[in-house]
Amino acid sequence: MDIRFRSTRSELEVTASQAILQGLGKDGGLFVPTAIPKLTESFEALAQMNYRELAYAVMSKFLTDFTGEELLACIEGAYDSKFDSPLIAPLVKADGAYYLELFHGSTIAFKDMALSILPYLMTTAAKKNGVDKKIVILTATSGDTGKAAMAGFADVPGTEIIVFYPKDGVSHIQERQMVTQRGENTHVVAIRGNFDDAQTAVKKMFNDPAMNAKIEAAGCQFSSANSINIGRLIPQVVYYVYSYAQLVKRGEIRAGDEINITVPTGNFGNILAAYYAKLMGLPVKKLICASNINKVLADFFETGEYDRRREFILTSSPSMDILISSNLERLIYRSTGNDPAACAAFMKNLSESGGYRITEEMKKTLGDFRGGFATEEENFAGIRALYERSGYVIDTHTGIANAVYRRYASETGDRTPTVIASTASPYKFANAVAGAIAPDKAEGKTDFELIDVLKELSGVAEPPAITDIRTAPVRHSTVCDVDEMPETVLRILGM
Ligand SMILES: *Cc1c(COP(=O)(O)O)cnc(C)c1O
């Protein structure tokens, strides 16, 4: 099947490599595959594959204009000893649920799963399309994408990467990881604003003709490392299929049995990848979309109304502090029956009046999803209960998924085996996690002392990503207002 990629907002259609290179459609839309390919292998066969083999089986079905050789080279470059587990994404059973640990890459959050391969996909795509311009990656981050993207693109020839993060909207450890980033082509800018401000401004720059003309004249072109880039989503489909294959292999389920998947959600990228896995033929019963108190998605799945007109609340799961979940646009597009004009109209309402309401007919297509949210207190109580019952320590984002799933299971009595996407190492949020599990031991301690507390509680070795920032010098200190972002980009690029 020759799969191509179409914008959610117009008839624009491109190849996989072009979609990855561009990041975002020129019409402001997001690229979606023209069809979702089916898994052709049996689950027994998938269960025998290692992560790289399975990545090839899944990704080759989407990236139809990459040769087998090209794709294999990308996969082998990405999923190697940068990951501290040969399984790449181990599945850990604790207190009756399966935690899919997606944080074994170099920056200890799930963003590594896709961002370790995106630079390879992008440079391959540039070569295939005869692009010799320098690729300038603009990235808004709620804390984890920025570091993972810089780690992936650092000193990659022909690229420059600029990351914007909300000054007061990330954890100390996330911030330290970013400002100590090495690499001549990496740039980090703190903005006075929140993640939505950063993401909106970045999207605007992508679609600003004057800005594009300026950077093109200087031999550059923009692309994105955010999950608006389809090159982020497709590698994320892999680990959901892999988790299922692991369950079959370990005899926890039989091939063909249904599972549920719970995902701590912000920009709706990770859970959309799980949905694509289902559409490929993975037997998934429910996709449980877990939000923190910024529960715009939980409300949407309940009422069919998306409404961002509410207070933006900073929480201890900062990578989910988002009110404009960009990837929902891809689901909206699908639920209109792939109607770009209808999708564009909803998105116009979102940007102009802050919300939209979908039709009853569209709502009926969303039955695979179930929304839910957890408060800070519920999150902390859940992290602590899990630790007390099993000794297993999870981070504050996984904690939201954990709390939402546990409530879902007790309310519905649904006993379907459930995979919970574990999106960050607890070390990345040592402060909140240690505070949740052992408040008496955590009180009055510095970040690095809390890391020591966590080490003692979890018995898990400190990851190199943490050891590194204990001593790494600060290399980035730029701060700007949201409306100064374009000029900051031009200045960084020397224009
Ligand atoms: C980015 C992130 C999320 C949210 O993922 P989305 O794809 O934006 O929904 C959840 N947890 C962590 C730790 C993250 O870094």
Side-chain angles (χ1 to χ4, degrees):
M1 199 177 357
D2 183 29
I3 289 178
R4 293 170 61 85
F5 290 80
R6 191 173 289 161
S7 165
T8 50
R9 297 193 194 175
S10 74
E11 301 297 331
L12 184 64
E13 197 178 291
V14 297
T15 63
S17 63
Q18 289 163 345
I20 291 170
L21 261 182
Q22 292 174 27
L24 189 68
K26 295 222 185 319
D27 53 8
L30 273 54
F31 289 114
V32 289
T34 46
I36 305 283
K38 292 283 175 204
L39 289 168
T40 46
E41 300 79 1
S42 69
F43 294 119
E44 288 86 352
L46 292 170
Q48 296 311 314
M49 293 183 185
N50 66 28
Y51 195 87
R52 284 180 290 277
E53 291 162 343
L54 204 136
Y56 184 81
V58 170
M59 291 175 63
S60 59
K61 295 180 174 62
F62 285 98
L63 304 181
T64 53
D65 76 324
F66 283 66
T67 67
E69 213 170 27
E70 285 168 342
L71 184 57
L72 274 177
C74 293
I75 289 170
E76 273 158 22
Y79 303 113
D80 61 5
S81 59
K82 285 191 284 301
F83 287 79
D84 70 5
S85 163
L87 295 174
I88 308 294
L91 191 64
V92 175
K93 188 173 187 180
D95 195 22
Y98 301 92
Y99 294 81
L100 177 61
E101 294 190 348
L102 302 173
F103 53 78
H104 289 271
S106 62
T107 77
I108 60 176
F110 92 91
K111 305 301 197 291
D112 288 325
M113 300 302 298
L115 284 164
S116 52
I117 195 167
L118 186 66
Y120 291 98
L121 296 175
M122 207 175 272
T123 47
T124 307
K127 234 178 266 155
K128 293 178 78 63
N129 289 281
V131 169
D132 52 7
K133 291 201 181 86
K134 179 185 262 192
I135 300 170
V136 178
I137 314 283
L138 294 185
T139 297
T141 183
S142 57
D144 290 329
T145 291
K147 178 65 186 183
M150 288 190 290
F153 281 98
D155 293 326
V156 171
T159 69
E160 203 77 29
I161 173 158
I162 307 174
V163 166
F164 295 95
Y165 74 94
K167 178 97 194 76
D168 300 314
V170 300
S171 84
H172 286 145
I173 292 172
Q174 286 178 315
E175 180 167 45
R176 248 199 104 69
Q177 278 189 296
M178 285 191 279
V179 298
T180 56
Q181 177 65 45
R182 300 174 188 89
E184 286 314 306
N185 64 339
T186 66
H187 310 274
V188 184
V189 180
I191 63 148
R192 297 183 195 94
N194 62 37
F195 172 75
D196 289 332
D197 298 326
Q199 179 163 250
T200 301
V202 162
K203 278 186 169 178
K204 224 185 204 159
M205 283 190 261
F206 279 129
N207 295 312
D208 176 346
M211 183 115 183
N212 276 284
K214 224 179 258 176
I215 77 147
E216 269 168 38
C220 301
Q221 79 175 54
F222 285 140
S223 190
S224 166
N226 283 104
S227 52
I228 52 177
N229 192 321
I230 195 75
R232 277 276 304 274
L233 285 190
I234 290 166
Q236 292 179 191
V237 177
V238 174
Y239 47 73
Y240 291 110
V241 179
Y242 185 67
S243 72
Y244 189 90
Q246 291 304 298
L247 288 171
V248 172
K249 185 173 183 178
R250 281 157 50 176
E252 301 280 343
I253 60 171
R254 282 164 310 174
D257 285 354
E258 284 191 318
I259 61 167
N260 290 330
I261 297 177
T262 307
V263 184
T265 298
N267 224 359
F268 206 74
N270 205 6
I271 192 164
L272 189 71
Y275 183 51
Y276 282 3
K278 179 185 164 95
L279 296 175
M280 288 186 88
L282 202 69
V284 179
K285 185 168 150 194
K286 281 282 170 207
L287 293 153
I288 301 166
C289 176
S291 301
N292 66 25
I293 196 71
N294 294 292
K295 59 184 182 69
V296 64
L297 287 167
D299 291 346
F300 169 73
F301 283 113
E302 200 183 311
T303 65
E305 181 176 21
Y306 194 93
D307 186 0
R308 57 161 288 221
R309 290 158 294 193
R310 60 181 82 198
E311 190 189 349
F312 186 107
I313 300 166
L314 296 175
T315 73
S316 63
S317 44
S319 302
M320 298 161 64
D321 291 343
I322 294 177
L323 294 178
I324 307 174
S325 298
S326 289
N327 281 290
L328 189 66
E329 178 168 347
R330 290 185 163 112
L331 185 65
I332 295 292
Y333 173 77
R334 196 180 166 83
S335 72
T336 61
N338 303 336
D339 178 347
C343 183
F346 285 117
M347 295 308 128
K348 188 157 180 268
N349 277 345
L350 178 61
S351 73
E352 287 176 1
S353 56
Y356 56 83
R357 177 182 285 280
I358 62 171
T359 64
E360 280 307 311
E361 204 165 304
M362 288 167 70
K363 202 163 170 234
K364 280 193 205 119
T365 67
L366 305 181
D368 294 327
F369 290 88
R370 163 111 182 191
F373 74 99
T375 63
E376 293 285 85
E377 293 70 29
E378 289 165 333
N379 186 5
F380 294 155
I383 291 173
R384 185 170 174 161
L386 181 65
Y387 178 72
E388 284 168 356
R389 285 201 205 108
S390 65
Y392 186 56
V393 179
I394 54 173
D395 95 292
T396 44
H397 300 75
T398 311
I400 292 284
N402 178 63
V404 169
Y405 165 65
R406 304 278 168 187
R407 193 169 58 216
Y408 163 81
S410 78
E411 279 175 11
T412 59
D414 183 357
R415 294 281 166 269
T416 308
T418 295
V419 168
I420 295 177
S422 182
T423 50
S425 160
Y427 278 105
K428 209 157 183 177
F429 304 92
N431 205 325
V433 174
I437 294 177
D440 47 322
K441 284 191 189 164
E443 213 181 307
K445 297 222 161 69
T446 66
D447 284 330
F448 289 113
E449 287 167 350
L450 286 164
I451 284 167
D452 295 332
V453 170
L454 204 58
K455 215 180 306 181
E456 194 190 308
L457 290 170
S458 67
V460 173
E462 178 178 307
I466 294 289
T467 312
D468 186 46
I469 57 168
R470 285 181 186 264
T471 52
V474 172
R475 301 186 66 248
H476 308 269
S477 58
T478 310
V479 184
C480 78
D481 287 331
V482 176
D483 58 10
E484 293 167 338
M485 286 169 62
E487 64 194 71
T488 306
V489 167
L490 294 176
R491 194 174 59 242
I492 287 171
L493 296 175
M495 295 173 200

